Amino acid sequence: MVVEAVQQEDAGAQVQIAPQLVLDDIRQARLQALGGADTSWLEQLQAQRGLEDAGFLQALASVSGLEVLSSDALFAATPDFEVLSYVECSRRHCVPVREGSDGALTLVLADPYSEEIAQWARSHLSEAYDARLAHMRDIRALLAGAEQAVRATEEQLGEQLDESDPSEGEIVSLEAIEADSSPVIRAVSAILYDALKQRASDIHLKSTPGGMNVKFRLDGVLVGVSDIRGADMAQRLISRIKVMSMLDIAERRVPQDGRFRVRSKASYVDFRVSIMPSIHGEDAVLRLLDRSSLTGGQEKVLRLADLSLEAAAMTTLRRLVAQPYGMILVTGPTGSGKTTTLYAALQEINHGHENIITIEDPVEYQLAGVLQIPVNEKKGLTFARGLRSILRHDPDKIMVGEVRDEETAQISVQAALTGHLVLTTVHANSIFDVVGRLLHMGVDAYSLSSALVGIWAQRLLRLNCPRCVRPYEPDPEQLAVSNLSMDALRGHTLLAGAGCSHCRATGYKGRQVVAEYMTMNDRLRDLVATKAPVSALRQEAALQGSQNLRDAAMALFLAGRTTLAEVNRVTFADA
Ligand SMILES: [Zn+2]
């Protein structure tokens, strides 16, 4: 009602009437509240001027030039917390809403002057949007109402945990974030909450001269999430993470690592923390280890079938892990999902009739019914020593987290030769380099050739976002770099994501394993035993029909599932 009165007055006056607020008032009020994301200046200013909600809003609209979205329209619209995170919006008193039949996006704000909010929204929204003004009180009411819905979907993500053991881990939930009075604790919890919600694999906190950048690794790629203002705040965030990980807060000049556990609605989540001194302070990387995704009980058990492998690769992997004894080597760079593949393979053969023991650094996931031993170098429990102990523990299948020294390599091969199935990872570029790596570690070529049953290498390739995918044509330069001609592409429908809010403007959503593998036969064994050059191994493997990484990735590109750029990111072009 009051809004209409003000508007009529404006229209009727025809000439510029003195607004009830001028820019100086706003400057003053913001200065008193120290700017930033703090929006309390709005309430203070309104109280100072003794204005009603509607009158204040209208005055603010006329000074800022931002149009008002009426209460009715605001509450009739549908909030969309897929495009902007609920927690981040609550902190900034804004709401992304969809209106009308076309579902156009509008960002409703309480504070039209916050550069921080404007920048944050610009960097996170990939589709066009309008900005509108609403009263803080209405935005709060809308956020409070939406919270129920946000929580409900959160609960659907997983069953409630047994509440009988509240001692283990801090709780990360909307209630806990809002209930905490410390801005530092709240900020850290909000970051963890968002990372879990978006299924990030890592959180990167990077100190800058003026504060800190927060980035998440989503589908293998780092994405900027928010900026923390102020070096002091940045340092306090790091301290908070150190406290949670039981690290030394006073020590800021040497790297430290630790871990901590939190509880979310769905599960327990462990974070592995690495703190590194930098020129602007300290940086932290938090790796999320979501153990619930692999353990039994209420949660789904990861199987090979969940790895999204193409059929031939899946069959080969199944056949390899079904071997009664021998050695299976898995290789790939960090973050290529090879540990996940090994875990899935172990689950496949985990029937309870055989004794499965692992030695890992660290134990990333707990597997039901499997004895898992963490390496502890400080206490002298190395891979080699642990492996010797395991062999006295009557194992059938053994997983060695990584073979990186001569002793471990020797024992692993011996174990495989004496009737055990040994699964392990080795750092190498391709399945052919793996053999060379082990020989270099001093393993006897003949023993290796007898022990090996298969070698597997893999990468994770991002797939095109299904919501914004459209036909595309790689440019000639890219084709040349990739050793491809236009002719080779004829007859294929090439697709790429254009970028939308569903894929955070990257054009990619979800990942798939691409694999290269070799199953040993007599011919290959001879070549390994006689230390034949890599080229001979490669030739024989090709004859045998083994898959190579580049071909596997290229097949996905030609099928319109990914882009040439992504293929080139994860595999080398053939020379
Ligand atoms: Zn998309």
Side-chain angles (χ1 to χ4, degrees):
M1 296 286 250
V2 189
V3 180
E4 277 169 23
V6 176
Q7 277 169 341
Q8 278 166 7
E9 205 178 280
D10 263 342
Q14 291 287 326
V15 287
Q16 178 95 35
I17 61 155
Q20 288 158 304
L21 289 173
V22 293
L23 263 176
D24 261 350
D25 298 331
I26 288 163
R27 235 175 249 137
Q28 279 290 321
R30 278 178 60 81
L31 216 59
Q32 275 165 17
L34 293 170
D38 188 356
T39 40
S40 61
W41 68 271
L42 287 162
E43 280 153 323
Q44 284 167 18
L45 183 61
Q46 184 180 345
Q48 259 173 30
R49 292 308 166 98
L51 292 170
E52 276 183 69
D53 287 0
F56 175 69
L57 188 63
Q58 205 54 52
L60 196 62
S62 62
V63 193
S64 67
L66 210 59
E67 275 180 59
V68 168
L69 186 71
S70 73
S71 288
D72 289 350
L74 177 63
F75 288 101
T78 318
D80 184 353
F81 294 110
E82 291 286 308
V83 292
L84 290 175
S85 122
Y86 177 85
V87 174
E88 293 283 316
C89 288
S90 303
R91 201 155 73 76
R92 295 178 170 88
H93 297 99
C94 63
V95 190
V97 297
R98 300 220 174 255
E99 287 181 287
S101 53
D102 59 345
L105 188 64
T106 303
L107 183 66
V108 187
L109 310 149
D111 182 354
Y113 287 100
S114 166
E115 192 48 36
E116 194 268 338
I117 296 176
Q119 261 181 17
W120 166 77
R122 268 199 301 276
S123 64
H124 284 78
L125 292 170
S126 50
E127 63 188 288
Y129 64 96
D130 276 336
R132 289 277 185 281
L133 205 59
H135 196 273
M136 173 89 85
R137 214 181 294 273
D138 282 345
I139 290 184
R140 278 213 193 103
L142 185 74
L143 284 166
E147 188 180 340
Q148 291 303 325
V150 174
R151 271 189 205 162
T153 42
E154 199 182 312
E155 274 158 21
Q156 278 167 15
L157 291 175
E159 286 169 63
Q160 287 283 141
L161 275 181
D162 183 8
E163 298 288 338
S164 60
D165 182 20
S167 60
E168 230 190 331
E170 294 194 35
I171 300 171
V172 172
S173 68
L174 288 175
E175 295 100 314
I177 293 169
E178 278 154 20
D180 211 297
S181 57
S182 152
V184 177
I185 296 179
R186 241 181 7 236
V188 171
S189 299
I191 291 170
L192 299 180
Y193 176 86
D194 279 339
L196 286 172
K197 194 102 193 288
Q198 295 177 28
R199 297 181 183 281
S201 62
D202 302 80
I203 302 169
H204 287 232
L205 302 171
K206 199 167 181 47
S207 292
T208 60
M212 179 172 270
N213 294 141
V214 182
K215 288 180 179 173
F216 290 167
R217 190 176 289 281
L218 300 165
D219 287 341
V221 178
L222 283 178
V223 178
V225 178
S226 59
D227 290 323
I228 309 281
R229 290 257 189 99
D232 181 51
M233 182 67 174
Q235 196 200 309
R236 285 158 71 200
L237 285 188
I238 295 282
S239 294
R240 165 70 184 153
I241 289 166
K242 282 182 176 172
V243 168
M244 293 172 85
S245 329
M246 289 186 284
L247 297 174
D248 185 355
I249 308 182
E251 182 54 78
R252 297 198 192 128
R253 284 152 308 175
V254 297
Q256 297 190 62
D257 47 70
R259 52 201 292 158
F260 65 86
R261 168 178 285 191
V262 298
R263 297 202 304 147
S264 76
K265 279 260 154 57
S267 57
Y268 291 111
V269 183
D270 286 335
F271 288 84
R272 195 169 74 202
V273 180
S274 162
I275 311 265
M276 203 64 84
S278 81
I279 49 169
H280 302 301
E282 286 174 294
D283 291 358
V285 173
L286 285 66
R287 154 81 39 107
L288 278 82
L289 307 170
D290 187 0
R291 307 197 301 179
S292 65
S293 59
L294 286 154
T295 46
Q298 309 169 328
E299 308 290 337
K300 200 165 72 110
V301 175
L302 183 76
R303 298 273 179 207
L304 285 182
D306 301 326
L307 289 184
S308 67
L309 276 168
E310 47 117 8
M314 176 73 74
T315 310
T316 306
L317 191 53
R318 280 233 162 88
R319 208 167 44 216
L320 283 176
V321 300
Q323 301 295 318
Y325 55 85
M327 188 177 212
I328 300 167
L329 297 170
V330 176
T331 188
T334 309
S336 59
K338 54 182 190 294
T339 313
T340 307
T341 298
L342 278 178
Y343 278 121
L346 276 184
Q347 290 283 22
E348 195 90 348
I349 52 180
N350 184 10
H351 308 298
H353 307 306
E354 287 172 314
N355 190 12
I356 305 178
I357 309 181
T358 74
I359 178 148
E360 303 169 65
D361 183 21
V363 172
E364 286 188 33
Y365 305 97
Q366 283 176 352
L367 300 169
V370 174
L371 173 60
Q372 292 173 282
I373 303 167
V375 162
N376 189 335
E377 307 242 340
K378 277 186 203 140
K379 295 206 168 139
L381 182 56
T382 58
F383 271 116
R385 191 165 157 201
L387 194 50
R388 281 189 204 285
S389 309
I390 288 174
L391 288 170
R392 289 192 290 269
H393 211 76
D394 186 30
D396 295 294
K397 320 268 174 178
I398 305 166
M399 178 181 125
V400 183
E402 190 187 339
V403 169
R404 55 187 175 204
D405 61 273
E406 179 178 344
E407 205 183 350
T408 312
Q410 306 269 21
I411 311 170
S412 302
V413 170
Q414 282 313 311
L417 286 172
T418 50
H420 307 95
L421 185 72
V422 180
L423 303 159
T424 184
T425 73
V426 179
H427 266 288
N429 285 326
S430 74
I431 54 173
F432 305 106
D433 293 337
V434 172
V435 174
R437 276 282 290 158
L438 282 172
L439 293 178
H440 187 75
M441 282 183 208
V443 172
D444 168 57
Y446 183 75
S447 302
L448 181 61
S449 74
S450 323
L452 263 188
V453 293
I455 310 176
W456 177 275
Q458 73 175 48
R459 302 283 189 278
L460 284 172
L461 190 110
R462 289 181 296 167
L463 298 175
N464 291 331
C465 168
R467 299 233 183 127
C468 61
V469 74
R470 51 159 178 65
Y472 100 119
E473 210 167 85
D475 55 64
E477 207 173 308
Q478 212 176 19
L479 287 175
V481 169
S482 320
N483 251 332
L484 277 177
S485 67
M486 225 35 187
D487 286 347
L489 306 180
R490 204 152 290 148
H492 295 281
T493 311
L494 304 176
L495 303 171
C500 67
S501 53
H502 183 59
C503 58
R504 305 183 134 254
T506 58
Y508 300 101
K509 190 82 189 174
R511 289 189 291 178
Q512 167 145 6
V513 172
V514 285
E516 171 173 87
Y517 45 83
M518 177 161 85
T519 311
M520 299 303 285
N521 61 12
D522 289 346
R523 199 54 212 119
L524 285 166
R525 276 184 221 287
D526 286 346
L527 291 171
V528 172
T530 55
K531 298 191 187 181
V534 167
S535 56
L537 272 176
R538 201 184 289 275
Q539 217 169 21
E540 180 55 34
L543 280 179
Q544 185 213 91
S546 79
Q547 164 110 293
N548 95 35
L549 272 178
R550 182 76 182 175
D551 292 346
M554 205 55 98
L556 285 175
F557 162 61
L558 293 175
R561 310 266 322 272
T562 192
T563 63
L564 188 54
E566 181 65 6
V567 170
N568 286 338
R569 189 179 73 88
V570 300
T571 68
F572 293 106
D574 297 327

